[in-house]
Amino acid sequence: MIDKKIVTLFTIILWFLQALLAIVFLTFGFFKLTRPIEELSYYLPWITDVPAIMVRCIGILESVFGLGMILPYFFKQISRFKFVAPLGIIILLCGAIYLHIQRGETMIIQVNVFLILAAAIVFTGRYYLSKHTQLV
């Protein structure tokens, strides 16, 4: 049996990472959905390389994944989807890394790798806790 203090500490770390991911993805998703493409391209140069509809779709996905980091824990009806958001974030960011490598933007890849690691920790941590404890 796992020590309850360790489970509590790990749960706090997971909630912190989930809140961080939710804030990041809700913020970027909101901006990609609400700002004009010309304004976005000033801050995110890669936007000029993809169609505007793709930018909006990425904004929708980011917003959904941001909500998915938090909502399944408040609504039991959708709790089985708590693993979908971190996996979606990982897949989305792998595509982002591919795009940044193609464009030669190596500095931004570090941020993407950090966010992938955070999402992977959330996914594996929640999966492990769901299989080994009754506290999730």
Side-chain angles (χ1 to χ4, degrees):
M1 186 68 183
I2 301 172
D3 185 23
K4 192 173 182 177
K5 289 180 183 179
I6 293 173
V7 171
T8 303
L9 176 64
F10 194 55
T11 302
I12 291 169
I13 292 168
L14 290 176
W15 271 111
F16 173 78
L17 290 174
Q18 285 176 244
L20 175 71
L21 289 168
I23 290 167
V24 167
F25 281 89
L26 284 171
T27 302
F28 279 103
F30 176 78
F31 282 118
K32 285 183 184 106
L33 289 172
T34 59
R35 302 286 184 208
I37 297 297
E38 297 78 28
E39 182 181 338
L40 288 172
S41 65
Y42 177 74
Y43 300 105
L44 306 168
W46 62 266
I47 286 181
T48 58
D49 290 350
V50 297
I53 190 71
M54 187 175 192
V55 174
R56 302 300 185 200
C57 288
I58 291 170
I60 290 170
L61 287 173
E62 288 176 343
S63 298
V64 168
F65 295 149
L67 287 173
M69 293 305 294
I70 303 296
L71 290 182
Y73 301 96
F74 294 111
F75 299 102
K76 295 298 181 197
Q77 298 87 352
I78 59 172
S79 66
R80 63 185 148 195
F81 296 111
K82 63 185 166 187
F83 305 115
V84 174
L87 282 178
I89 287 172
I90 291 168
I91 293 167
L92 186 68
L93 289 176
C94 285
I97 287 174
Y98 177 75
L99 178 72
H100 291 304
I101 287 173
Q102 279 187 327
R103 290 180 46 86
E105 300 169 342
T106 55
M107 292 302 293
I108 194 67
I109 292 172
Q110 298 168 0
V111 175
N112 291 329
V113 169
F114 171 77
L115 293 172
I116 286 174
L117 289 174
I121 290 169
V122 169
F123 176 79
T124 55
R126 290 296 177 190
Y127 180 79
Y128 180 81
L129 289 177
S130 71
K131 295 296 181 190
H132 295 89
T133 68
Q134 298 299 320
L135 301 175
V136 178

